[in-house]
Amino acid sequence: MAKFKKDVASETPEIATTSLPDIIFMLIFFFMVTTSMRQATVMVEQKLPMASEVKKLENKSLVSYIHIGSPIRQYHSTYGTAPRIQLNDKFQMVQDIADFIASERSTKSEADQSKMTTALKTDEKVKMGIMSDVKMALRRVGALKISYITTKGDKVF
Amino acid sequence: MANIKKTPGINGSSMADVSFILLIFFLMVTTMGTDYGLIRQLPPMQEKPEENPIDINKKNILVVNVNQRDELMVGSDLTDISRLREKTKDFFNINNKGVEYPDKKDTVFANIGNVSINKSALVSLQNDRGTSYKAYIQVQNELAGAVIELRNEFCMQYFGRKIDDCTQDQQDIVSKKIYPMSISEAEPKNVQIK
């Protein structure tokens, strides 16, 4: 008859720590991938319209965002409910777009400046009046490549 | 009688593999908030707003007008948004050769042959300052969709595949010469409807 049990004093086995670095690396990579630098907090309500013929926005480092919509609830007392333009972290006026584009341009190399895109993230309830003011301002500073950011979907109407 | 047993240590060498699988999983699954959008090129600013001297024939222009109540007018008819795509396709289609359709001109393309393309067909998109952004995007989407569908139909007919599967040269010819995205935007009018 085989002997199944050894008479050895119990020892708690050590937890293998060799893979700990891997786990840490994994976490690091995960956070590196998901975190995007200088993400402006959106201070306007945004329900993007839906479109089907959309293209993916390439080269995110060359994209400057302009958010347009009515301020979210916590800013109602200060900024009201009329649609506003948000550049970086501040509510600004149409005249400030020129400065915004200029400062965005100055951070890019000359070769990349022509490839810059302005992404307009606009709430679907906003009227076209403010949009055409923004487009006019962009034309004036020569930022001609724009993208109307939408959600992707097939049921457009 | 208590026989005390030594628990064998867990083999940790495969932990690295497991964690790599997890890492790859997260890399694939995590979206970095990808944005999708309709890409457009704005016309450059003209210092002197000159009157358009070219009197384009009316049949070469399809006027698409969205008013402040988001009602859509295509040509001279009040239209529902669901019919805009079909109407735009009908207008741009190079196979429509009747007198009421835009002027055509015969052009010879390398590897394709003689195609009669639109000489100067143009969609003129007009909107009001009170038009909602949603309606505007819907219209832009339908116009873009119509042109893309026509390009695909052309490519199926001549090359036997969709435009995305064609060579770069073929794509350039179709999207720049045969079916260009000819959408002109007028400055919005501020019309008050009482």
Side-chain angles (χ1 to χ4, degrees):
Chain A
M1 180 110 186
K3 194 178 181 185
F4 288 108
K5 287 171 184 169
K6 283 182 187 171
D7 292 348
V8 184
S10 162
E11 278 174 43
T12 322
E14 279 179 43
I15 296 168
T17 51
T18 42
S19 57
L20 216 57
D22 301 303
I23 295 168
I24 302 300
F25 267 116
M26 186 184 81
L27 281 171
I28 287 171
F29 281 129
F30 178 67
F31 283 111
M32 275 173 68
V33 167
T34 49
T35 318
S36 51
M37 301 287 163
R38 201 176 57 88
Q39 178 100 65
T41 336
V42 181
M43 302 192 295
V44 295
E45 268 173 39
Q46 260 177 354
K47 187 173 181 294
L48 298 171
M50 192 178 273
S52 55
E53 318 295 333
V54 289
K55 288 210 179 77
K56 208 167 162 180
L57 206 57
E58 308 279 356
N59 246 339
K60 282 207 133 186
S61 57
L62 294 175
V63 177
S64 4
Y65 285 92
I66 297 180
H67 301 269
I68 304 165
S70 49
I72 55 173
R73 188 171 283 272
Q74 66 187 97
Y75 297 108
H76 277 187
S77 54
T78 346
Y79 296 102
T81 51
R84 296 291 296 259
I85 300 164
Q86 185 197 342
L87 308 170
N88 290 335
D89 276 329
K90 283 199 288 293
F91 287 118
Q92 308 243 265
M93 308 305 287
V94 179
Q95 304 86 276
D96 301 315
I97 289 177
D99 286 342
F100 170 71
I101 295 294
S103 72
E104 288 282 309
R105 273 203 189 130
S106 62
T107 61
K108 311 289 183 314
S109 74
E110 206 146 310
D112 286 340
Q113 284 183 5
S114 59
K115 291 185 221 142
M116 283 179 66
T117 309
T118 313
L120 300 171
K121 277 196 149 182
T122 308
D123 187 86
E124 62 178 21
K125 289 195 287 293
V126 169
K127 301 290 178 199
M128 283 307 293
I130 189 168
M131 288 303 291
S132 48
D133 293 342
V134 169
K135 280 199 281 185
M136 209 60 187
L138 290 173
R139 280 174 68 187
R140 223 169 257 138
V141 291
L144 299 179
K145 210 174 160 206
I146 59 167
S147 174
Y148 302 108
I149 304 296
T150 60
T151 47
K152 198 180 175 186
D154 286 329
K155 218 173 170 309
V156 178
F157 41 81
Chain B
M1 164 123 176
N3 272 344
I4 305 157
K5 162 184 144 191
K6 187 188 176 188
T7 324
I10 299 167
N11 187 359
S13 58
S14 59
M15 199 76 134
D17 304 297
V18 174
S19 56
F20 265 113
I21 290 168
L22 277 171
L23 169 65
I24 290 162
F25 172 73
F26 280 114
L27 278 173
M28 306 282 279
V29 163
T30 317
T31 52
M32 292 190 287
T34 323
D35 282 324
Y36 292 92
L38 297 165
I39 295 164
R40 290 286 175 276
Q41 187 85 22
L42 293 172
M45 196 75 182
Q46 283 173 323
E47 289 305 319
K48 257 185 267 168
E50 50 188 286
E51 287 298 309
N52 207 351
I54 317 148
D55 179 39
I56 306 173
N57 197 328
K58 265 201 176 143
K59 68 175 184 179
N60 289 329
I61 302 182
L62 181 71
V63 179
V64 177
N65 199 324
V66 198
N67 74 3
Q68 66 171 47
R69 290 186 194 137
D70 295 348
E71 288 161 340
L72 182 71
M73 198 172 84
V74 181
S76 50
D77 319 312
L78 199 65
T79 315
D80 189 68
I81 179 82
S82 56
R83 293 201 58 226
L84 175 61
R85 189 179 288 233
E86 171 199 333
K87 284 200 164 193
T88 315
K89 278 180 77 175
D90 189 53
F91 171 76
F92 273 131
N93 199 331
I94 54 172
N95 299 320
N96 291 338
K97 294 200 171 76
V99 243
E100 69 275 25
Y101 290 106
D103 291 327
K104 303 283 187 293
K105 66 171 178 204
D106 288 344
T107 317
V108 179
F109 294 102
N111 304 327
I112 301 175
N114 199 356
V115 185
S116 83
I117 59 168
N118 288 318
K119 212 192 244 167
S120 56
L122 184 74
V123 167
S124 167
L125 176 57
Q126 297 170 0
N127 59 268
D128 188 273
R129 287 187 71 88
T131 307
S132 82
Y133 184 64
K134 187 183 183 184
Y136 175 79
I137 288 295
Q138 281 176 350
V139 169
Q140 283 273 18
N141 188 56
E142 290 310 295
L143 294 177
V147 175
I148 290 169
E149 277 183 25
L150 284 170
R151 285 176 186 169
N152 274 328
E153 281 169 19
F154 183 88
C155 287
M156 282 311 266
Q157 188 188 340
Y158 283 85
F159 312 126
R161 61 201 134 175
K162 290 197 157 188
I163 186 158
D164 292 333
D165 304 325
C166 289
T167 62
Q168 193 59 46
D169 285 351
Q170 291 170 339
Q171 286 190 20
D172 282 350
I173 287 176
V174 174
S175 57
K176 289 192 182 131
K177 297 276 163 52
I178 294 167
Y179 285 121
M181 197 74 81
S182 314
I183 301 168
S184 153
E185 280 187 67
E187 301 301 325
K189 294 171 186 162
N190 200 0
V191 189
Q192 296 293 321
I193 299 176
K194 292 279 183 297

